[in-house]
Amino acid sequence: MRSFLQKLGPGLLFAGAAIGVSHLVQSTRAGADYGFTLVWALLLVHLFKYPFFQYGPRYAMATGETLLDGYKKIGKWALIAYFIITFATMFTIQTAVTIVTAGLAANLFGITPNPVIWSIIITLICLSILLLGKYKLLDNLMKIIVCTLSISTIMAVIVAIYNYHEPYSFKQVIPTDLIGLTFLIAFMGWMPAPLDVSIWQSLWVLEKKKITQSYDTKRSLFDFNIGYTSTIFLGLFFISLGALVMHDTGNSFASGASQFASQLINLYTENLGGYSYLIIAIAAFTTMFSTTLTTLDASPRSMVRCSELITNKQHKNAYLFWIILLVVGTISILLFFLSEMKTLIEIATILSFITAPFYAIMNFALISSKHTPKEWQPSIPLKIISYLGIIFLLVFSIWYLTTL
């Protein structure tokens, strides 16, 4: 097992970044509000997003460059577009994941119920991990977090199935009302993650290559597939928890962070038994802490590289500048929009979905171009899924925008 885990790295970082709001909040809410009827959406979006995420490590290991370097070869306009989109969403995304993590920490550890104080504590802990331990510590820590998350979530699902005595219904539906459609788009927007995480993945695999010389392209793709598969199963597990524990209970989620976290954990423990509290609390907290940690690293890392490519200059202490800016921006937003956690999450997820076609087209164009060695360009089946994925993302984005 130790040897197996040593081969992994960026794939688990992807899982850590992905398994957060999309799973704990959106998947649980999907199960609570719609039962098992939206499983199709989870599976379909995983299928159609898969190639574009996989092209991140594939391109990076095949060329020794990040996806951002590849974007520059397509045109500097692509880098500028990425810079604008990322700058417009990075603070909201970091705020959304941090406030959920803070609410869960308040319920798990006590000390203070104030989510702002917990947000500052968690942000400073993550900042210390990243500045002191750098990538190597992040890589090792994420293996522990993802394993803990997986075990505790599986245990929770087993208990839920054992305690559930009603017949299961797996009928699949497509919401047609505006509220249902908005939720569906938000659900798929971050399921399993925003497509710009493919750029993060290309940065992480090159960092992994620096510390592990045997980490080659094939191992990188294997690593990614392990992480991606885990997001599918854990997404299904969280839908199951929502459906088995909360569906048809008449309860609705609060918009405040602490209230949401308390409500989530209490609903589980009331239905599964008080003994399950620690399992649920650990599963929820590790889910969100992993996302908070990885996003705090990845957004500044990508903005550093993007800035260097746009200006053709390397800037001293650029990573420190961007990560401090993100920390300050996140805490500032928390002070003004604390009671609007649900709205923040929906804004961030919807923005992620409607910008997804841009990343899908860019990644596919790059991996299929002369800039990628022939032997690492996608196979015909992968190209077919890519074309279908682009159509899928475009149609759903246009559908949503035209129904506003």
Side-chain angles (χ1 to χ4, degrees), residues 95-107 110-123 255-261 330-331 334-335 337-341:
T95 301
V97 299
T98 303
I99 197 171
V100 178
T101 310
L104 292 165
N107 278 269
I111 303 177
T112 175
N114 191 321
V116 174
I117 294 176
W118 268 113
S119 295
I120 295 172
I121 293 172
I122 290 167
T123 300
S255 59
S258 295
Q259 300 94 319
F260 170 84
T330 297
I331 294 175
L334 283 166
L335 293 173
F337 297 98
L338 178 62
S339 62
E340 300 301 326
M341 184 200 71

Side-chain angles (χ1 to χ4, degrees), residues 13 19-20 89 115 121 135 212 220 232 242 260 263 270 295 308 338 395 402:
L13 290 181
I19 303 167
T89 59
I121 293 172
Y135 176 83
T212 308
S220 172
I232 298 174
F260 170 84
Q263 187 180 34
E270 285 172 8
T295 52
E308 290 175 347
L338 178 62
V395 167
T402 55

Side-chain angles (χ1 to χ4, degrees), residues 43-173:
L43 297 177
L44 199 63
V45 80
H46 269 90
L47 172 65
F48 286 144
K49 282 188 176 182
Y50 170 78
F52 312 116
F53 283 123
Q54 194 234 58
Y55 294 155
R58 180 188 286 261
Y59 179 81
M61 294 303 296
T63 64
E65 299 178 342
T66 71
L67 281 177
L68 291 174
D69 292 90
Y71 284 11
K72 186 175 182 179
K73 292 178 179 178
I74 294 176
K76 186 176 277 191
W77 63 268
L79 285 175
I80 295 173
Y82 173 78
F83 186 95
I84 294 172
I85 292 171
T86 302
F87 193 81
T89 59
M90 61 187 282
F91 299 101
T92 302
I93 290 173
Q94 191 66 41
T95 301
V97 299
T98 303
I99 197 171
V100 178
T101 310
L104 292 165
N107 278 269
L108 180 60
F109 302 112
I111 303 177
T112 175
N114 191 321
V116 174
I117 294 176
W118 268 113
S119 295
I120 295 172
I121 293 172
I122 290 167
T123 300
L124 292 178
I125 290 173
C126 291
L127 181 65
S128 300
I129 290 172
L130 296 172
L131 293 183
L132 298 177
K134 301 188 184 301
Y135 176 83
K136 188 173 183 179
L137 180 58
L138 177 65
D139 182 85
N140 292 328
L141 186 61
M142 198 52 56
K143 293 170 184 176
I144 298 172
I145 290 174
V146 173
C147 287
T148 303
L149 161 65
S150 300
I151 292 170
S152 56
T153 305
I154 291 169
M155 290 175 64
V157 172
I158 291 172
V159 173
I161 292 173
Y162 178 79
N163 288 342
Y164 192 81
H165 305 293
E166 301 296 326
Y168 303 125
S169 174
F170 292 100
K171 180 181 178 181
Q172 302 298 291
V173 301

Side-chain angles (χ1 to χ4, degrees), residues 4 11 50 179 200 214 237 280 381:
F4 174 74
Y50 170 78
I179 294 176
W200 303 359
S214 60
F237 289 155
I280 295 297

